[in-house]
Amino acid sequence: YMVEGNVLSWVVKLDLDTNFFPENFRKFLDEKQFCTTDPHYLGHPIFYRTAHFAPGACAVLSQAAVRDLAVTLNTTLMPSPTAWPYGKTDRECLDIETQGEDYHIAVCLKVAGVTINGPDNRDSQTREYFQIFPATWHYRTLGFHAKDWLWQNQGFTAETANVKEKCCADYPVAFHKYRTLQVYIEIYEGEGSKLPSGEFDVSRLHMQKILEAHDVVEKGKRTVQEEASVLTRVLFPPPPAPLSHPAP
């Protein structure tokens, strides 16, 4: 924050196995009318010990939230010894290396008065924008279990839970637990991904299109070598051909 706090509007923390759709994130911010100068902590809320937190799959902080986090780190006593589960530093919100950084961030933000709010991360039909499993798991497999860690302290019942067809917003922002980039590549580089103008067709980021991309990948998975070749072309396109008659 001290170096780039006034440059970055939003900070998005992702796991390596997360599929994140920037276009849908921009659409989400526009629809919610969220402003980076207000403290926003976004993601799929999970409850642990004393706080709701956004797991590593996808956690988003506005510029103001990053500011509040930076001020809190190393300066603020925790509200109780039980609020901090790691080592001997159970009385302070310290900027230390830990595998539990996602919960650590939530605890420190809570001290600063910034919490993750479930409705902020859902559409008007309570469907989620940020999910912690693959799209097909949420849409076709997962059910509601009140005592499960995924659902605890969320306020849902079996009748109101956002599962199956009610799981995800029309233009979701992130899914998680992908062992490869095959679905991501199919969405952005697959057949029909480009409009006649050559631009990416953002309609492919609708939930139904994401599910279709899953099905395409499942029916004919690329080998690891084929996937690496496609990814290389996406990330490192060949340089333009030199002019036939270069300027002297």
Side-chain angles (χ1 to χ4, degrees):
Y1 173 77
M2 297 302 294
V3 177
E4 297 182 334
N6 293 324
V7 177
L8 301 176
S9 296
W10 297 89
V11 175
V12 181
K13 178 191 172 296
L14 305 171
D15 280 351
L16 292 176
D17 55 348
T18 297
N19 278 1
F20 174 76
F21 307 112
E23 296 87 349
N24 285 358
F25 179 57
R26 296 188 189 99
K27 185 178 180 68
F28 162 78
L29 293 177
D30 289 342
E31 291 178 353
K32 292 286 187 176
Q33 296 185 333
F34 287 155
C35 180
T36 190
T37 55
D38 297 323
H40 292 293
Y41 175 30
L42 305 169
H44 186 99
I46 299 294
F47 187 78
Y48 176 67
R49 291 175 65 93
T50 64
H52 282 89
F53 72 98
C58 183
V60 180
L61 297 178
S62 65
Q63 184 185 97
V66 174
R67 175 202 63 209
D68 292 346
L69 178 62
V71 171
T72 303
L73 288 170
N74 288 323
T75 62
T76 307
L77 291 177
M78 299 301 297
S80 72
T82 60
W84 180 246
Y86 304 110
K88 299 179 180 180
T89 58
D90 60 356
R91 290 293 297 170
E92 293 182 300
C93 174
L94 297 175
D95 187 9
I96 60 176
E97 292 185 7
T98 169
Q99 290 184 340
E101 84 290 342
D102 41 14
Y103 179 68
H104 180 197
I105 289 172
V107 171
C108 295
L109 282 172
K110 187 177 179 180
V111 172
V114 182
T115 58
I116 188 168
N117 182 12
D120 283 350
N121 303 284
R122 304 178 187 126
D123 67 10
S124 60
Q125 301 177 53
T126 73
R127 299 176 300 182
E128 304 279 352
Y129 285 94
F130 306 88
Q131 289 286 21
I132 60 175
F133 295 118
T136 49
W137 292 20
H138 286 287
Y139 195 84
R140 296 170 179 165
T141 305
L142 291 177
F144 174 76
H145 302 281
K147 295 183 179 180
D148 190 272
W149 59 269
L150 182 63
W151 298 103
Q152 285 183 349
N153 295 290
Q154 296 281 0
F156 287 113
T157 65
E159 291 73 29
T160 63
N162 47 9
V163 296
K164 302 294 178 62
E165 291 85 354
K166 299 184 294 182
C167 72
C168 310
D170 284 341
Y171 287 88
V173 173
F175 293 102
H176 183 229
K177 283 192 175 297
Y178 289 89
R179 291 180 294 177
T180 75
L181 289 171
Q182 288 179 327
V183 172
Y184 201 71
I185 291 172
E186 174 60 32
I187 291 171
Y188 279 97
E189 296 294 321
E191 183 178 352
S193 63
K194 298 293 191 298
L195 296 170
S197 62
E199 297 178 351
F200 172 67
D201 182 2
V202 293
S203 70
R204 290 173 67 86
L205 298 177
H206 188 279
M207 181 61 184
Q208 292 302 321
K209 292 293 185 179
I210 293 173
L211 293 172
E212 289 176 15
H214 273 262
D215 293 338
V216 168
V217 169
E218 287 300 316
K219 289 178 181 178
K221 287 185 176 179
R222 296 184 179 96
T223 66
V224 174
Q225 292 78 11
E226 289 172 337
E227 183 177 344
S229 176
V230 172
L231 187 59
T232 298
R233 294 199 304 272
V234 173
L235 296 178
F236 306 104
L243 298 175
S244 57
H245 298 288

